[in-house]
Every structure is written in C-alpha cells, then in structure tokens.
Amino acid sequence: MFIVTAKLSKKRALVIVLVIAVLLTTVIVLAARRDRNTGIEAETAGDVVTFLETLGWQVDPEPIEVAEVLIPREWGEVYEAYNALQLEAGFDLTPHKGRPAVRHTYRVLNYPGQSDGVVVDVLVADGRVIGGGIQSVYLDGFIHGLFPNVGT
C-alpha cells in the first residue's frame, strides 16, 4: 500500500475550499442561465400573442384555454412524434421532461385556405416559450410546429 501525506495549513485549505466553491457556483449559474435562455420570453398571455404575431399569425386575443400541463417524464410513440414536430420548429421538449408547463390555446384567424377550425397551442415554462403547434380541429385536419405564416 502507498500512502502520501501532505502538510496543509489552514490558510491553504481555506483557499482550496473557496476556489472549489467559486467553481461550483459558476457551473450552477451557467447551467441555470443556459436553461433560462432557451425559448422566447413569454411572461404573460399578451407576450404569447405578441410572439405569435411575430410569426405572422393573427389570433383572437382571448384564449380558448389556458391550462397547466405536465410534460411526461417517460415518452411513448405519441410524445416522441410530437417532439419531432418541436424539433423541426427549433424547439425541444426533452429538457422539460417531468416538468410543468402552461398551454395557451388561441383561435387562428389567418391560416391560409382556412376560414375557421384552426387553433394554436403555445407551451410556456418558466416564462419562456418551449414549444407548441398549429392544428386543425377537424378529424381530417393537420398539425405542424410553430412555423412562420408564409401565406397571405
């Protein structure tokens, strides 16, 4: 067996502890900042409407529903497919597994070729847009991610 001993003064031990504390604090702050900076800021329902307008979507400013939802911790085929839609639109729900979010649902007023029956869901967590989708309410309808409106 090999044993190494070192003489460590109280001053040197304090410096080592402080350096480790600063490094841990930096890592925690950077990780929290990275998580906070994902998505688009949306502290209020008005912010959600403004975000949709920046994408070219006109919505009824009165939401159809605002509901708290839980992003499942374990995903099946349906949630994997839903997250694939999110990834195509530049979002990713993976970091939000097992966490709560708020789903804002609005009626879309300017979907190309559709005068009614189109809604948009926007998922918000920690004051940031984390995903969502635009879909038809009809059985033979459609769903896609939060892409800009390119139609007129």
Side-chain angles (χ1 to χ4, degrees):
M1 180 153 74
F2 184 67
I3 298 175
V4 176
T5 61
K7 191 169 188 178
L8 189 62
S9 69
K10 288 181 182 180
K11 184 176 179 181
R12 181 171 270 178
L14 180 62
V15 168
I16 291 171
V17 168
L18 287 174
V19 167
I20 291 171
V22 167
L23 289 173
L24 284 174
T25 302
T26 302
V27 167
I28 290 168
V29 167
L30 289 175
R33 182 177 293 161
R34 190 189 83 217
D35 184 52
R36 177 77 176 145
N37 285 335
T38 58
I40 293 87
E41 188 173 319
E43 296 286 339
T44 67
D47 292 340
V48 173
V49 171
T50 300
F51 163 67
L52 292 169
E53 288 172 349
T54 65
L55 293 176
W57 298 111
Q58 295 172 0
V59 297
D60 183 340
E62 188 64 36
I64 295 170
E65 180 182 45
V66 176
E68 188 163 323
V69 296
L70 180 67
I71 309 296
R73 186 175 308 278
E74 301 295 325
W75 291 356
E77 284 183 34
V78 172
Y79 237 92
E80 290 290 346
Y82 185 68
N83 197 51
L85 288 174
Q86 303 310 310
L87 293 169
E88 288 175 13
F91 296 99
D92 184 5
L93 297 179
T94 305
H96 303 281
K97 284 184 172 183
R99 295 178 57 195
V102 177
R103 184 186 65 231
H104 298 256
T105 304
Y106 293 91
R107 189 167 63 91
V108 176
L109 304 175
N110 68 330
Y111 196 88
Q114 300 276 339
S115 59
D116 66 343
V118 178
V119 297
V120 59
D121 289 324
V122 178
L123 295 172
V124 176
D126 301 320
R128 313 293 284 176
V129 174
I130 62 167
I134 297 174
Q135 64 260 343
S136 170
V137 298
Y138 301 118
L139 287 177
D140 61 345
F142 58 85
I143 183 169
H144 61 77
L146 292 174
F147 294 112
N149 181 4
V150 293
T152 52

